[in-house]
Amino acid sequence: MTEHFPNAFRETEPVWVHQLPNSKYPRFPSLDHDIETDVCIIGSGIAGISAAYELITGGKRVTLLEAQHVLFGESGRTSGHLSNALDDGYIEIEKRHKPNGAKLAAESHTWAIDRVAHIIRTLDLDCEFRYVPAYRVSKFLPGDLKHEADNKKISKGADYARDAGVDAVFQKGFSVSGWDGDFSQEDAAVFAAQGAFHPTKYLLGVLEWLKAHPNFQCFADTRATGVDEGRNKVIVWTEQGYNITAKDVVEATCIPLQDSSILAEISYCRTYCIAIRVPKGSVEDCLIYDTDDPHKYVCLTACDNKNDYLIVGGCDHKVGHQDSLDRFEILATWACQRFTHAGTVDYHWSGQILEPVDHMAFIGKKEWKMHTYVITGDSGNGLTHGILAGRLVADGIEGRENSWAALYDPSRMTSAA
């Protein structure tokens, strides 16, 4: 492990702390009294903060609860991709949800990318956002008999994505600038207008705006232990013994509270990431996905005046099914075989992925509930799922129809589909 990892035994940290260490995160008090509010949101990751933003701008009073410190969960351990080139692919999505469902999935994730851009402009945030292309490439080397067959699948996937409304095309002979190693690459599905950004800079920027708003309050180190929905109100119970009385509650937690029916529809996976130094300009600023199973994924983020960080992720496995493989070393070797300018690994970390059996997140009212909403099941696209969830939940609470609602409805019978 020491070949790529000069600090091999350092505690794992995501690359995002390089420019924004945890010590700069805002601190909020813990709850020490009972309160009333319009909406109580449990969880301060991208889903909770996005929901808070949409609701506050709609005139609601919002109370945000976090069991630890803000952004100490999975949203701070992401890879920074904002993409409508969905992990599960539009062929599989159309099988499960028919052409119209695939179009709604594409539309909602495209909206999420553009929504981030809009919020950044509105709040004047500095978080490295830019539109970039994404490339899906074969795991097989050019000349391998399996390469051409794999390309046919990639091309078909691009056709399905385009039919769903994504700007996607398969390009024969296309090569990614900077992919110059012995493990060469040729041909790709090209997806236009994807997004990349510094996720914690973005979320803390939104959170600082919320913090200054008179209708917003946040309590950290406040673990919700239960939600009790009555006829005209919902009560959130906390570990401290105090409670929040709200008109509506949003469970924006990685794993939903008290809902075995949703849990039964999700598999739990672990994914791994490294951040490896490359000279600025040596690798194209883009998103990359290969066709391996599990696939590898790549993007860039800033390091310093001379270097960028190449973020390489993958080696996913189901929780409880892992083996003794050193997944960080596998990712570093994979990167160095393809990008000759890759240097040492400065950061390595892992994150949780919740995979719904039908590829779509669970967003909306919990089954048999009128005022309790849930957001879970990111399916490998947690950032865009979290952002579009803010819109879906706000529309539900404010009584607006949303054409995406049925696709993400938590009460849908996925196992029987």
Side-chain angles (χ1 to χ4, degrees), residues 221-275:
D221 295 307
T222 303
R223 184 176 299 277
T225 57
V227 177
D228 185 11
E229 181 173 325
R231 179 172 295 180
N232 297 312
K233 62 183 179 181
V234 188
I235 298 176
V236 178
W237 307 95
T238 70
E239 204 168 57
Q240 283 88 338
Y242 302 104
N243 61 64
I244 299 96
T245 301
K247 297 175 183 177
D248 295 280
V249 168
V250 181
E251 296 177 13
T253 50
C254 187
I255 298 175
L257 305 175
Q258 305 168 317
D259 199 322
S260 58
S261 62
I262 289 180
L263 296 180
E265 305 290 350
I266 294 174
S267 61
Y268 302 86
C269 299
R270 202 77 191 162
T271 191
Y272 298 82
C273 290
I274 61 169

Side-chain angles (χ1 to χ4, degrees), residues 4-20:
H4 301 299
F5 294 77
N7 301 306
F9 300 103
R10 184 183 65 190
E11 180 182 359
T12 62
E13 288 184 310
V15 68
W16 315 116
V17 304
H18 182 73
Q19 294 192 52
L20 189 62

